[in-house]
Amino acid sequence: MSTTPDHDLHHDGEPGLFDRAAGAFYGLALGDALGMPTQVMSREEVVRAYGTLSGFEPARHDNPVSAGMPAGSVTDDTDQAVIVARLIVEGGGHVDPLRFAEELLAWEREMKAKGSFDLLGPSTKAALDAVARGTDLKEAGKYGTTNGSAMRVTPVGIAFPCAPDDIEPFLDRVVESCQVTHDTTIGVAAAAAVAAAVSTGVAGGSLDEVFDAAIAASAAGGRRGHWIAGASIPARIAWARELVAGLDEAEALDRIDALIGTSVASQESVPAAFAVLALTGGDPWRSALLAANLGGDSDTIGAIAGAIAGSVRGLGALPADAVRTLREVNGLELEPLVRQLLTYRTAL
């Protein structure tokens, strides 16, 4: 791993703050792009179509969501995370809910104009339709339980420290990023788990510390928002880790698919991402690849796992050719946003 302006290393060879933060954002994009062609496919269909996915692939023509997308393309997971990052910067560290709603609607109009099938998820779409009808912003997200809040929250984890002994200010920032669409106990718990994991990784935490932070923050986040019945996300994250212990990858993926689930439900896809992290020991490339081989909401599972793994291992741990592909195919240049996000963390 070479030291460049975009790969800051400590003298002991460990990734520095910027490298870990950039690793989180590019790790998100990596998992998103690897999972893009297999989303909404069953695990059996993935195996039948690809065998074992080992790198970027174009979407098949019959994929109802990603048809026509070339290899290495990111989806709404990365696009919405970029929107959150921009709004944090433009809002002086805060996400304005009305601006966020406007930005998401503008993004979907742009996707439709391109003829894309990659549009807003069910919770986000329902909430924004409610906003368009004049529903109060504080009420629009009262039914949002899917993983849209978790998939786009990585910039919050980059920008703000998650202090275990004083977590409420951090949760305030998490809630700002999901209130308009996922203002529920489940939506906030899911976002809090991912944001805390990324924040802990960016701060230099180990994978064990990342799991601990995710579980604690998710439990606290589950006390925010409108109550919705559903399984406990922190309990399922802890259980998912145990579920894959000692298994080989193929058996573990089958178990994740059968018992944890890979749907857009937060209680499935978020624990599935943590299961993948446990399985790989937090390796960004392997984590993203395994998520892609799951099928289901594979792009979001990959985006979450990739972001967390990238925050622990740093940008330098992501394959350089893969990062180059992400930049070239999508026009991604995330470093300026990462630097701006980090000004909030380092100012505290």
Side-chain angles (χ1 to χ4, degrees):
M1 192 191 310
S2 61
T3 302
T4 72
D6 291 333
H7 293 278
D8 62 319
L9 302 181
H10 291 311
H11 59 82
D12 57 2
E14 291 299 312
L17 178 66
F18 178 83
D19 200 58
R20 295 191 300 270
F25 220 148
Y26 276 107
L28 184 157
L30 176 69
D32 184 16
L34 283 171
M36 174 275 295
T38 60
Q39 61 181 318
V40 304
M41 295 174 68
S42 70
R43 174 145 164 74
E44 291 77 14
E45 287 174 325
V46 173
V47 172
R48 189 161 56 246
Y50 296 102
T52 299
L53 202 79
S54 59
F56 295 121
E57 293 281 353
R60 292 166 59 91
H61 66 87
D62 56 352
N63 188 298
V65 176
S66 52
M69 296 179 74
S73 298
V74 299
T75 76
D76 60 327
D77 299 65
T78 303
D79 289 344
Q80 288 192 33
V82 169
I83 291 172
V84 170
R86 283 199 294 102
L87 292 179
I88 289 172
V89 172
E90 293 171 10
H94 295 277
V95 174
D96 178 81
L98 182 57
R99 284 273 295 119
F100 194 18
E102 292 168 348
E103 288 281 344
L104 290 173
L105 288 169
W107 174 85
E108 185 171 60
R109 285 194 296 272
E110 184 181 344
M111 291 298 102
K112 286 179 176 177
K114 292 178 180 178
S116 173
F117 300 105
D118 181 29
L119 304 175
L120 295 171
S123 291
T124 299
K125 182 63 176 172
L128 295 182
D129 285 346
V131 171
R133 293 193 304 268
T135 300
D136 188 293
L137 288 171
K138 293 181 179 178
E139 296 292 313
K142 66 187 298 183
Y143 302 110
T145 60
T146 51
N147 56 25
S149 59
M151 77 181 193
R152 66 191 185 214
V153 79
T154 285
V156 175
I158 293 172
F160 303 108
C162 179
D165 56 347
D166 186 21
I167 200 169
E168 297 305 319
F170 182 75
L171 289 179
D172 291 342
R173 297 294 190 269
V174 172
V175 168
E176 285 182 358
S177 76
C178 56
Q179 181 186 50
V180 73
T181 58
H182 295 76
D183 191 16
T184 64
T185 48
I186 290 173
V188 177
V194 178
V198 168
S199 182
T200 302
V202 170
S206 67
L207 188 62
D208 285 340
E209 291 168 330
V210 158
F211 266 85
D212 291 344
I215 291 167
S218 185
R223 295 190 286 271
R224 300 284 193 103
H226 298 271
W227 181 82
I228 296 282
S232 163
I233 289 176
R236 284 179 64 83
I237 290 172
W239 168 67
R241 187 182 198 181
E242 297 167 3
L243 191 68
V244 299
L247 301 181
D248 64 52
E249 288 183 354
E251 184 181 0
L253 291 182
D254 287 339
R255 187 169 287 191
I256 293 169
D257 178 54
L259 296 180
I260 299 173
T262 61
S263 78
V264 298
S266 291
Q267 304 99 310
E268 294 190 7
S269 45
V270 173
F274 279 92
V276 165
L277 287 167
L279 191 59
T280 68
D283 178 88
W285 177 252
R286 291 300 306 161
S287 296
L289 269 184
L290 291 186
N293 281 282
L294 278 171
D297 201 9
S298 49
D299 57 325
T300 295
I301 297 169
I304 292 170
I308 297 168
S311 77
V312 175
R313 298 287 186 91
L315 181 60
L318 275 59
D321 58 340
V323 174
R324 188 162 48 248
T325 296
L326 292 171
R327 289 174 174 146
E328 292 172 354
V329 172
N330 304 286
L332 279 182
E333 286 296 338
L334 299 174
E335 287 85 353
L337 265 180
V338 170
R339 290 192 182 91
Q340 290 173 308
L341 291 171
L342 284 176
T343 61
Y344 296 99
R345 176 181 285 268
T346 55
L348 298 175

